[in-house]
Amino acid sequence: VQIYSLYVDCKVTSRFAHTVITSKIVNRANESREATFEVELPKTAFITNFSMSIDGKVYPGIIKEKASARKEYDSAVSRGQSAGLVRITGRKLEQFHVSVSVAATSKVTFELVYEELLKRQLGAFELLIKVRPQQLVKHFQIDVHIFEPQGIRFLETNSSFMTNELTEALTKVQNETKAHILFKPTIDQQKINPDLDETLLDGDFVVRYDVKRGATAGDIQVVNGYFVHYFAPHEMPVIPKNVIFVIDRSGSMGGRKIEQTRDALLKVLQDLRPEDHFGFITFNNRVVEWKSSLLQATAENVASATGFVQTLSASGGTDINRALLTALSLLEKAKGLPERSVSMVILLTDGQPTSGERNVEIIQENIQKAVNGKYALFCLGFGFDVSYDFLEKMALSNGGIARRIYENADAALQLQGFYDEVATPILMKIEMQYPENAIEGLTKNNFKLFFEGSEIVVSGKIKNELDLLPVEIKAQSHASDLTLKEEANVKEKEQVFKNQSYIFGNFIERLWAYLTIQQLLEKSISAQGEDQKTLEARALELSLRYNFVTPLTSMVVTKPAGEQHEELANKPTEAG
């Protein structure tokens, strides 16, 4: 069974990436064989289409509500067949895997389409393409087209498998607003060495870029009556932060985990700014405060904290509830903090609550009451013994986010990377205001914090024939209260995308749907009862209307008769 063609076609239009992967396979044997299509895609993406064509007959994947797809499928499962075509394979990726029986000398073409909105992190957008054909491929090609009307500020490609020979197969053409990256290695270039039929192509192919930013009130783009507004101010004074690190030192954190935590914290201490205030709380079944109040990040205090971090060791149980409540009361009674500052708690734990209060719902209630909307809580779950949905719900209910830290050699870098993202707050209480009577379906437009290097994205539908779309942004910066105003000329903005041949026409509408579904799902995590049902129902309706495989839908993949007739592709979530 030979893959004779593998084509990755990716179009990024104003951060919205549309990727099509086509694999053509021929069975050169004189009996039927199994052909496999295995692709890793970013967790942040939604699959939107899949098909197999075998000898000219097309078998499309059909996206349905998860519950009804499940019902149809259960009869197949009861016949002892395996379920699920998608699973999480790492920190950033999930894998789609399907195989089908191919008759002697027959051909099969697999095609998978997925979409995602690239998210700006630490000053760049990252397009990640996983390359792993597992054999030499005669026609192998990665084709990336990027169009950013704001202009491309920088663009770089790197990959984990490049050699000098392979670099010759890579071309990059770039002008003010467009870039085209083509990677097309010959069979010889793909080989590890000339005598062996083994491929070098195994790893990540990454495109990183950022856009130019002129207007202070961000950039508005309009296509077919939908708009998107990108806002990423830069070169603004940093707002001082008051941060308490709440570190799990229970027995399970022993060994490499606590070492990696120490390494990361030592680096983080060096990155604190002199005007920041900080504190440490470590916990097992006992909760220990490093100091009874927050200290300013002077050289002396940082040195003292460094000494403390170096002595961290692990044993005992896990009292998450009391550790967090202790941190929050430290913030509550703190004196002499800068008037305009951002207060946050960063929790790192690798397990479930085993000491003190163990009921996660009661812990969540206690914490929400103590936070009371005033602080941001970030929860980092180390490894796979944590109750991730508990951490995620707690973070999202309290103005923060949750992240899983994978137990790899680079765990310390993952921890640092997370800290870098939240290290530089430059705006608070951001309100993006649009004329109410003219916009519908507006995505989230109030944000507690804005961190340097990230980006705020708001999208919606322009209701009537509007000539000018006025925008007003209100926010608090380190020094003052800001009001930024901008007016977008709708007709002019529509024109920008009109003559771009390779753009799929309704991309802002799909971007709007993608963003709305992501936000509804996120909101539903911390919602309860009827609220949760309403949010999920709206997300489901949009997932079906726009053909996205989300946690609420399934793709039913039908196969030729005589094989297991149907399989399901579901969207895995970090909470499992």
Side-chain angles (χ1 to χ4, degrees):
V1 175
Q2 184 189 10
I3 304 173
Y4 62 92
S5 162
L6 185 58
Y7 187 61
V8 180
D9 179 48
C10 181
K11 296 181 171 60
V12 184
T13 311
S14 185
R15 346 262 199 271
F16 195 65
H18 174 91
T19 304
V20 183
I21 298 180
T22 312
S23 174
K24 296 183 177 181
I25 297 180
V26 59
N27 176 10
R28 301 207 186 277
N30 49 14
E31 55 188 16
S32 70
R33 290 274 166 92
E34 187 104 307
T36 299
F37 176 68
E38 192 176 272
V39 167
E40 288 186 84
L41 60 142
K43 286 179 186 176
T44 41
F46 289 151
I47 289 173
T48 176
N49 243 316
F50 171 73
S51 67
M52 293 185 282
S53 37
I54 302 167
D55 291 336
K57 187 172 179 339
V58 178
Y59 299 86
I62 310 291
I63 294 177
K64 300 185 174 179
E65 180 187 0
K66 203 175 207 169
S68 61
R70 188 79 230 166
K71 250 192 223 104
E72 288 174 34
Y73 186 65
D74 276 345
S75 54
V77 174
S78 63
R79 298 195 296 273
Q81 290 152 336
S82 69
L85 300 173
V86 188
R87 62 187 182 90
I88 287 182
T89 50
R91 191 161 84 240
K92 294 180 179 176
L93 296 163
E94 59 195 35
Q95 183 193 70
F96 178 89
H97 174 110
V98 67
S99 40
V100 64
S101 172
V102 184
T105 69
S106 280
K107 290 179 177 177
V108 53
T109 299
F110 295 103
E111 184 180 276
L112 180 74
V113 183
Y114 60 84
E115 291 178 344
E116 67 173 320
L117 177 63
L118 302 180
K119 201 174 161 196
R120 188 166 183 252
Q121 278 179 320
L122 303 174
F125 300 98
E126 181 179 282
L127 177 71
L128 170 60
I129 297 169
K130 184 75 175 180
V131 178
R132 210 163 160 259
Q134 296 174 328
Q135 52 170 276
L136 300 172
V137 179
K138 189 174 180 190
H139 303 285
F140 178 93
Q141 182 168 329
I142 296 176
D143 208 356
V144 179
H145 284 272
I146 297 173
F147 174 53
E148 288 289 350
Q150 281 171 267
I152 296 170
R153 189 173 69 79
F154 83 88
L155 181 137
E156 59 185 37
T157 57
N158 49 43
S159 86
S160 52
F161 51 78
M162 272 300 164
T163 59
N164 290 343
E165 281 73 39
L166 281 175
T167 316
E168 291 166 19
L170 180 69
T171 52
K172 214 164 61 167
V173 181
Q174 188 182 333
N175 65 19
E176 185 69 13
T177 56
K178 289 184 189 171
H180 177 211
I181 294 146
L182 179 65
F183 180 54
K184 199 176 175 180
T186 62
I187 285 242
D188 285 340
Q189 287 170 324
Q190 292 170 42
K191 288 182 179 179
I192 288 180
N193 74 44
D195 313 327
L196 289 175
D197 283 350
E198 279 178 40
T199 177
L200 282 164
L201 305 183
D202 183 359
D204 299 343
F205 185 85
V206 179
V207 180
R208 286 179 77 247
Y209 73 92
D210 196 18
V211 300
K212 293 180 176 163
R213 290 181 178 78
T216 44
D219 192 80
I220 293 172
Q221 297 170 16
V222 185
V223 171
N224 295 349
Y226 283 80
F227 81 91
V228 60
H229 183 186
Y230 296 113
F231 179 54
H234 53 111
E235 293 173 359
M236 293 186 83
V238 179
I239 300 171
K241 60 185 181 299
N242 317 309
V243 56
I244 299 184
F245 299 94
V246 180
I247 306 296
D248 184 342
R249 55 180 170 90
S250 60
S252 55
M253 281 286 290
R256 190 160 81 148
K257 279 194 221 167
I258 200 85
E259 271 171 43
Q260 291 172 320
T261 303
R262 280 198 304 256
D263 291 347
L265 289 173
L266 291 170
K267 177 78 177 66
V268 164
L269 279 169
Q270 298 309 309
D271 291 343
L272 287 171
R273 291 186 181 77
E275 58 278 12
D276 291 340
H277 286 71
F278 73 105
F280 280 101
I281 284 170
T282 63
F283 70 98
N284 44 26
N285 38 335
R286 289 182 23 255
V287 172
V288 175
E289 296 175 75
W290 168 56
K291 300 281 190 237
S292 56
S293 63
L294 276 92
L295 294 187
Q296 197 172 338
T298 59
E300 198 180 339
N301 288 337
V302 167
S304 157
T306 300
F308 166 73
V309 166
Q310 281 164 335
T311 65
L312 277 183
S313 62
S315 66
T318 312
D319 190 345
I320 292 176
N321 182 59
R322 209 152 52 90
L324 283 175
L325 290 175
T326 307
L328 293 163
S329 89
L330 258 187
L331 282 173
E332 198 59 50
K333 58 180 206 247
K335 301 261 191 306
L337 300 178
E339 191 176 328
R340 285 215 171 172
S341 57
V342 170
S343 294
M344 55 175 90
V345 172
I346 299 178
L347 167 71
L348 172 68
T349 177
D350 75 334
Q352 322 258 356
T354 59
S355 312
E357 181 56 68
R358 293 174 198 184
N359 179 328
V360 292
E361 275 156 18
I362 294 175
I363 297 176
Q364 273 158 352
E365 243 167 74
N366 292 345
I367 301 311
Q368 204 161 344
K369 222 183 282 173
V371 167
N372 196 14
K374 291 190 287 196
Y375 316 120
L377 171 63
F378 297 97
C379 296
L380 304 179
F382 207 145
F384 283 87
D385 298 331
V386 289
S387 165
Y388 190 82
D389 38 11
F390 156 62
L391 296 178
E392 184 170 44
K393 187 171 176 177
M394 203 156 54
L396 291 173
S397 309
N398 295 294
I401 57 169
R403 192 67 69 78
R404 193 189 295 280
I405 302 296
Y406 280 70
E407 288 184 51
N408 301 338
D410 72 344
L413 288 174
Q414 294 174 54
L415 287 165
Q416 265 165 254
F418 170 78
Y419 171 77
D420 288 343
E421 284 174 51
V422 298
T424 318
I426 56 176
L427 288 179
M428 300 188 286
K429 298 188 178 146
I430 305 105
E431 285 176 45
M432 315 279 285
Q433 297 171 344
Y434 309 86
E436 266 172 47
N437 52 355
I439 301 291
E440 58 187 2
L442 191 64
T443 60
K444 179 179 157 96
N445 65 329
N446 281 327
F447 303 86
K448 267 189 165 172
L449 295 170
F450 175 79
F451 297 102
E452 175 81 68
S454 66
E455 179 173 64
I456 284 174
V457 184
V458 181
S459 182
K461 187 178 183 182
I462 301 171
K463 266 208 294 224
N464 31 27
E465 285 297 305
L466 206 61
D467 293 333
L468 290 175
L469 174 61
V471 182
E472 187 167 295
I473 302 174
K474 295 193 155 144
Q476 295 180 1
S477 74
H478 180 32
S480 59
D481 291 0
L482 302 176
T483 302
L484 305 169
K485 290 183 179 176
E486 183 75 55
E487 265 187 338
N489 181 322
V490 175
K491 293 272 179 294
E492 272 177 28
K493 293 283 181 189
E494 289 259 6
Q495 229 26 66
V496 172
F497 295 98
K498 282 281 192 290
N499 50 6
Q500 301 301 331
S501 54
Y502 63 76
I503 287 168
F504 46 115
N506 57 349
F507 90 93
I508 293 188
E509 183 177 345
R510 293 193 68 79
L511 182 160
W512 167 82
Y514 171 96
L515 194 57
T516 304
I517 292 166
Q518 292 274 31
Q519 292 177 356
L520 288 167
L521 291 171
E522 196 167 284
K523 254 170 119 172
S524 77
I525 289 170
S526 55
Q528 268 143 5
E530 283 307 305
D531 280 359
Q532 194 172 39
K533 284 202 182 84
T534 313
L535 292 164
E536 287 185 351
R538 276 193 59 208
L540 172 63
E541 191 263 320
L542 286 171
S543 303
L544 291 170
R545 186 176 355 147
Y546 289 96
N547 225 46
F548 285 131
V549 179
T550 69
L552 302 170
T553 52
S554 288
M555 181 185 281
V556 181
V557 174
T558 310
K559 294 186 174 183
E563 290 197 54
Q564 170 187 338
H565 199 54
E566 281 182 353
E567 287 192 285
L568 287 192
N570 290 327
K571 174 88 185 153
T573 61
E574 198 60 74

